[in-house]
Amino acid sequence: MRIELERRSRQSNLFAIVSPLLALALTVFFGGIMFMLLGKDPVSALYSFFIEPLLEVWSLHELAVKAAPLILIGVGLSVCYRSNNWNIGAEGQFIAGAIVGSILPITFYEWSSPLLLPLMLVMGAIGGAAYAAIPALLKTRFNTNEILTSLMLVYIAQLLLDWLTRGIWKDPAGYNFPQSRSFVSEAVLPEILSSGRAHLGIVFALVAAVAVWFMLRYTLKGFQVVVLGQSERAGRFAGFSSRKMVWFSMMFSGALAGLAGIAEVSGSIGHLQPTISPGYGFTAIIVAFLGRLNPLGIIASGFVLALTYLGGEGAQLSIGVSDKVTRVFQGLLLFFVLSCDTLILYKVRLVFDRARNASAKGA
């Protein structure tokens, strides 16, 4: 006996809409079981994790701060994945954007100008796009797997950031702490409201999501993304270039990841340090799939995943659990999202190998 997946002749549109909610419900249910096994009251633990962070104004600001990079990166990844190009290295592009965007405020630390912040944002986007161009070049020229190359480049970016902040970019007046000079006020993203830390990064994320949604739905470039993603052969008949789409999708997603990186450094941290991300680039993959690769859906899923970060931090203090609980929740959510998506496309069959059974009986 063996288990096979048989492709469905017709897909349920209702289940395609409901499946993200079902995945979220299953994640909460099994998360409650996990808390129970840890010796915690599951109801109060889930309340601390998902409800308590929404009750204070300052925590809503923190939610927006954490959602901004997730939405920006997730929107870029949705273009990649819908075009059937698998960029797994957004974390590296996030870091590359932060490094390139920080060149001006660190190297010319005494320069104060209204042009400084716009230049930083543009350079950050260029840095992320240039870093994503590496796996695009390797795929189009040498047919290498972009999953592997983009993922391996993440570790190079992390080590480069660590070397810079402990070496040539270390603040000489920073008491030997591994961090760069603090950015001048003109290099810091302004806060939206005086009641918290939420900055313009969340505005960039929302604008990007709406703009990409419009592009995918109403423009020729968006039509190319959809057609080449569903059938490269059909795209060639229509005159679309799959090689150009590799370059476009990878560099576009890299640019948004790089923009997210410099926005995070400029708006939330104020300097470079060895670690600037808790894994936003990897979590954004979950955000993209939970949002059904729809930029508007990614807005909602970005806030949901940001809540897991915020709730995990609060749960460490309120109920005394490990920070790894956040990763468990995110892993459960990814598992159930992909499982539900699989069941939309396929049905499970049990296959009995009668010929093998007959020969075994004859022997």
Short mmCIF file of all heavy atoms in Angstrom, two decimals, residues 16-17 19-21 74-75 78 82 213 283-302 304-305 333 337 341:
data_model
loop_
_atom_site.label_atom_id
_atom_site.label_comp_id
_atom_site.label_asym_id
_atom_site.label_seq_id
_atom_site.Cartn_x
_atom_site.Cartn_y
_atom_site.Cartn_z
N ALA A 16 -10.20 27.59 -1.65
CA ALA A 16 -9.03 28.43 -1.91
C ALA A 16 -9.09 29.73 -1.11
O ALA A 16 -8.07 30.26 -0.67
CB ALA A 16 -8.93 28.74 -3.40
N ILE A 17 -10.32 30.24 -0.90
CA ILE A 17 -10.49 31.47 -0.12
C ILE A 17 -10.39 31.19 1.38
O ILE A 17 -9.78 31.94 2.14
CB ILE A 17 -11.84 32.13 -0.46
CG1 ILE A 17 -11.86 32.56 -1.93
CG2 ILE A 17 -12.11 33.32 0.45
CD1 ILE A 17 -13.21 33.04 -2.40
N SER A 19 -8.96 28.54 2.90
CA SER A 19 -7.80 27.78 3.38
C SER A 19 -6.83 28.60 4.25
O SER A 19 -6.30 28.06 5.23
CB SER A 19 -7.06 27.13 2.22
OG SER A 19 -6.50 28.09 1.36
N PRO A 20 -6.53 29.89 3.96
CA PRO A 20 -5.65 30.63 4.87
C PRO A 20 -6.24 30.76 6.28
O PRO A 20 -5.52 30.68 7.27
CB PRO A 20 -5.51 32.00 4.19
CG PRO A 20 -5.80 31.76 2.76
CD PRO A 20 -6.84 30.69 2.75
N LEU A 21 -7.56 30.96 6.33
CA LEU A 21 -8.22 31.05 7.64
C LEU A 21 -8.18 29.70 8.36
O LEU A 21 -7.98 29.64 9.58
CB LEU A 21 -9.66 31.53 7.47
CG LEU A 21 -9.85 32.90 6.81
CD1 LEU A 21 -11.33 33.21 6.63
CD2 LEU A 21 -9.17 33.98 7.63
N GLY A 74 7.34 40.64 1.33
CA GLY A 74 6.35 39.70 0.85
C GLY A 74 5.74 40.09 -0.48
O GLY A 74 5.49 39.25 -1.35
N VAL A 75 5.51 41.38 -0.67
CA VAL A 75 4.96 41.87 -1.95
C VAL A 75 5.95 41.59 -3.08
O VAL A 75 5.56 41.14 -4.17
CB VAL A 75 4.63 43.37 -1.85
CG1 VAL A 75 4.39 43.97 -3.22
CG2 VAL A 75 3.41 43.59 -0.96
N SER A 78 5.97 37.92 -3.92
CA SER A 78 4.77 37.47 -4.63
C SER A 78 4.96 37.59 -6.15
O SER A 78 4.48 36.73 -6.90
CB SER A 78 3.54 38.28 -4.18
OG SER A 78 3.60 39.62 -4.65
N ARG A 82 4.88 34.20 -8.38
CA ARG A 82 3.84 34.10 -9.41
C ARG A 82 4.43 33.96 -10.80
O ARG A 82 3.79 33.45 -11.71
CB ARG A 82 2.90 35.31 -9.34
CG ARG A 82 2.04 35.34 -8.10
CD ARG A 82 1.05 36.46 -8.09
NE ARG A 82 -0.02 36.26 -9.06
CZ ARG A 82 -1.15 36.96 -9.08
NH1 ARG A 82 -1.35 37.92 -8.17
NH2 ARG A 82 -2.07 36.75 -9.99
N TRP A 213 -0.32 45.34 -6.70
CA TRP A 213 -1.63 44.77 -7.02
C TRP A 213 -2.16 45.35 -8.33
O TRP A 213 -2.66 44.62 -9.20
CB TRP A 213 -2.61 45.04 -5.89
CG TRP A 213 -4.03 44.67 -6.23
CD1 TRP A 213 -4.59 43.42 -6.19
CD2 TRP A 213 -5.05 45.55 -6.71
NE1 TRP A 213 -5.90 43.48 -6.60
CE2 TRP A 213 -6.21 44.77 -6.93
CE3 TRP A 213 -5.10 46.92 -6.97
CZ2 TRP A 213 -7.41 45.32 -7.39
CZ3 TRP A 213 -6.28 47.47 -7.43
CH2 TRP A 213 -7.41 46.68 -7.63
N THR A 283 10.62 34.94 7.07
CA THR A 283 9.23 35.00 7.49
C THR A 283 8.34 35.56 6.39
O THR A 283 7.17 35.18 6.27
CB THR A 283 9.10 35.85 8.77
OG1 THR A 283 9.99 35.36 9.76
CG2 THR A 283 7.68 35.81 9.32
N ALA A 284 8.89 36.45 5.56
CA ALA A 284 8.10 37.03 4.47
C ALA A 284 7.67 35.97 3.46
O ALA A 284 6.68 36.19 2.72
CB ALA A 284 8.90 38.13 3.78
N ILE A 285 8.37 34.85 3.39
CA ILE A 285 7.92 33.75 2.52
C ILE A 285 6.58 33.23 3.01
O ILE A 285 5.65 33.00 2.21
CB ILE A 285 8.97 32.63 2.49
CG1 ILE A 285 10.29 33.15 1.93
CG2 ILE A 285 8.48 31.44 1.67
CD1 ILE A 285 11.44 32.17 2.03
N ILE A 286 6.44 33.07 4.34
CA ILE A 286 5.16 32.66 4.91
C ILE A 286 4.10 33.72 4.64
O ILE A 286 2.95 33.42 4.32
CB ILE A 286 5.31 32.40 6.42
CG1 ILE A 286 6.47 31.45 6.70
CG2 ILE A 286 4.02 31.85 7.00
CD1 ILE A 286 6.75 31.24 8.17
N VAL A 287 4.49 34.99 4.79
CA VAL A 287 3.56 36.09 4.55
C VAL A 287 3.02 36.03 3.13
O VAL A 287 1.82 36.18 2.89
CB VAL A 287 4.27 37.44 4.80
CG1 VAL A 287 3.40 38.61 4.34
CG2 VAL A 287 4.59 37.60 6.28
N ALA A 288 3.90 35.80 2.16
CA ALA A 288 3.49 35.77 0.76
C ALA A 288 2.49 34.65 0.50
O ALA A 288 1.46 34.85 -0.17
CB ALA A 288 4.71 35.63 -0.15
N PHE A 289 2.77 33.46 1.02
CA PHE A 289 1.88 32.33 0.75
C PHE A 289 0.58 32.43 1.56
O PHE A 289 -0.48 32.03 1.08
CB PHE A 289 2.59 31.01 1.03
CG PHE A 289 3.51 30.59 -0.08
CD1 PHE A 289 4.88 30.72 0.05
CD2 PHE A 289 3.00 30.10 -1.27
CE1 PHE A 289 5.73 30.35 -0.98
CE2 PHE A 289 3.84 29.73 -2.31
CZ PHE A 289 5.20 29.85 -2.16
N LEU A 290 0.65 32.93 2.79
CA LEU A 290 -0.57 33.11 3.57
C LEU A 290 -1.48 34.14 2.90
O LEU A 290 -2.70 34.02 2.97
CB LEU A 290 -0.23 33.55 5.00
CG LEU A 290 -1.40 33.71 5.96
CD1 LEU A 290 -2.13 32.39 6.15
CD2 LEU A 290 -0.93 34.26 7.31
N GLY A 291 -0.89 35.12 2.25
CA GLY A 291 -1.66 36.13 1.51
C GLY A 291 -2.06 35.69 0.13
O GLY A 291 -2.53 36.52 -0.66
N ARG A 292 -1.87 34.40 -0.20
CA ARG A 292 -2.26 33.83 -1.50
C ARG A 292 -1.53 34.49 -2.66
O ARG A 292 -2.03 34.55 -3.78
CB ARG A 292 -3.77 33.93 -1.74
CG ARG A 292 -4.66 33.54 -0.58
CD ARG A 292 -4.46 32.13 -0.14
NE ARG A 292 -4.80 31.17 -1.19
CZ ARG A 292 -4.43 29.90 -1.20
NH1 ARG A 292 -3.66 29.45 -0.24
NH2 ARG A 292 -4.80 29.11 -2.17
N LEU A 293 -0.33 35.01 -2.40
CA LEU A 293 0.47 35.71 -3.41
C LEU A 293 -0.26 36.90 -4.00
O LEU A 293 0.02 37.34 -5.12
CB LEU A 293 0.92 34.75 -4.53
CG LEU A 293 1.74 33.54 -4.08
CD1 LEU A 293 2.17 32.72 -5.30
CD2 LEU A 293 2.96 33.97 -3.27
N ASN A 294 -1.22 37.42 -3.25
CA ASN A 294 -1.97 38.61 -3.64
C ASN A 294 -1.47 39.78 -2.79
O ASN A 294 -1.52 39.70 -1.56
CB ASN A 294 -3.47 38.39 -3.41
CG ASN A 294 -4.32 39.56 -3.88
OD1 ASN A 294 -4.01 40.71 -3.61
ND2 ASN A 294 -5.40 39.26 -4.58
N PRO A 295 -0.99 40.85 -3.41
CA PRO A 295 -0.42 41.95 -2.61
C PRO A 295 -1.37 42.51 -1.56
O PRO A 295 -0.92 42.90 -0.48
CB PRO A 295 -0.07 43.01 -3.67
CG PRO A 295 0.19 42.21 -4.91
CD PRO A 295 -0.79 41.07 -4.86
N LEU A 296 -2.66 42.55 -1.86
CA LEU A 296 -3.60 43.05 -0.86
C LEU A 296 -3.76 42.04 0.28
O LEU A 296 -3.89 42.43 1.45
CB LEU A 296 -4.95 43.35 -1.51
CG LEU A 296 -4.94 44.42 -2.61
CD1 LEU A 296 -6.35 44.69 -3.10
CD2 LEU A 296 -4.29 45.71 -2.12
N GLY A 297 -3.76 40.76 -0.04
CA GLY A 297 -3.81 39.74 1.00
C GLY A 297 -2.55 39.73 1.84
O GLY A 297 -2.58 39.41 3.04
N ILE A 298 -1.43 40.12 1.23
CA ILE A 298 -0.16 40.15 1.95
C ILE A 298 -0.17 41.23 3.03
O ILE A 298 0.50 41.10 4.06
CB ILE A 298 0.99 40.34 0.95
CG1 ILE A 298 1.22 39.03 0.17
CG2 ILE A 298 2.29 40.78 1.63
CD1 ILE A 298 2.16 39.16 -0.99
N ILE A 299 -0.94 42.29 2.84
CA ILE A 299 -1.06 43.31 3.89
C ILE A 299 -1.60 42.68 5.16
O ILE A 299 -1.05 42.85 6.26
CB ILE A 299 -1.96 44.46 3.42
CG1 ILE A 299 -1.33 45.20 2.24
CG2 ILE A 299 -2.22 45.44 4.58
CD1 ILE A 299 -2.21 46.29 1.65
N ALA A 300 -2.69 41.91 5.02
CA ALA A 300 -3.30 41.26 6.19
C ALA A 300 -2.36 40.22 6.80
O ALA A 300 -2.16 40.18 8.02
CB ALA A 300 -4.63 40.62 5.80
N SER A 301 -1.77 39.37 5.95
CA SER A 301 -0.89 38.33 6.48
C SER A 301 0.37 38.92 7.10
O SER A 301 0.93 38.36 8.04
CB SER A 301 -0.53 37.34 5.37
OG SER A 301 0.16 37.97 4.30
N GLY A 302 0.82 40.07 6.58
CA GLY A 302 1.99 40.72 7.18
C GLY A 302 1.73 41.14 8.62
O GLY A 302 2.59 40.97 9.50
N VAL A 304 -0.49 39.71 10.58
CA VAL A 304 -0.63 38.48 11.37
C VAL A 304 0.73 37.96 11.80
O VAL A 304 0.95 37.61 12.97
CB VAL A 304 -1.40 37.41 10.56
CG1 VAL A 304 -1.33 36.06 11.27
CG2 VAL A 304 -2.84 37.82 10.36
N LEU A 305 1.68 37.90 10.87
CA LEU A 305 3.02 37.40 11.22
C LEU A 305 3.76 38.38 12.11
O LEU A 305 4.54 37.97 12.97
CB LEU A 305 3.82 37.12 9.95
CG LEU A 305 3.73 35.70 9.38
CD1 LEU A 305 4.32 34.68 10.36
CD2 LEU A 305 2.30 35.31 9.05
N LEU A 333 2.35 27.57 11.00
CA LEU A 333 1.54 28.30 10.03
C LEU A 333 1.97 27.98 8.61
O LEU A 333 1.12 27.73 7.74
CB LEU A 333 1.66 29.80 10.30
CG LEU A 333 0.74 30.72 9.49
CD1 LEU A 333 -0.71 30.32 9.63
CD2 LEU A 333 0.94 32.17 9.92
N VAL A 337 -0.44 26.14 5.89
CA VAL A 337 -0.73 26.86 4.64
C VAL A 337 -0.40 25.99 3.43
O VAL A 337 -1.20 25.84 2.49
CB VAL A 337 0.04 28.19 4.58
CG1 VAL A 337 0.02 28.77 3.17
CG2 VAL A 337 -0.56 29.20 5.54
N ASP A 341 -2.95 24.24 0.72
CA ASP A 341 -2.77 24.49 -0.71
C ASP A 341 -2.63 23.19 -1.48
O ASP A 341 -3.14 23.05 -2.60
CB ASP A 341 -1.54 25.37 -0.94
CG ASP A 341 -1.79 26.82 -0.59
OD1 ASP A 341 -2.95 27.16 -0.31
OD2 ASP A 341 -0.83 27.61 -0.57
#
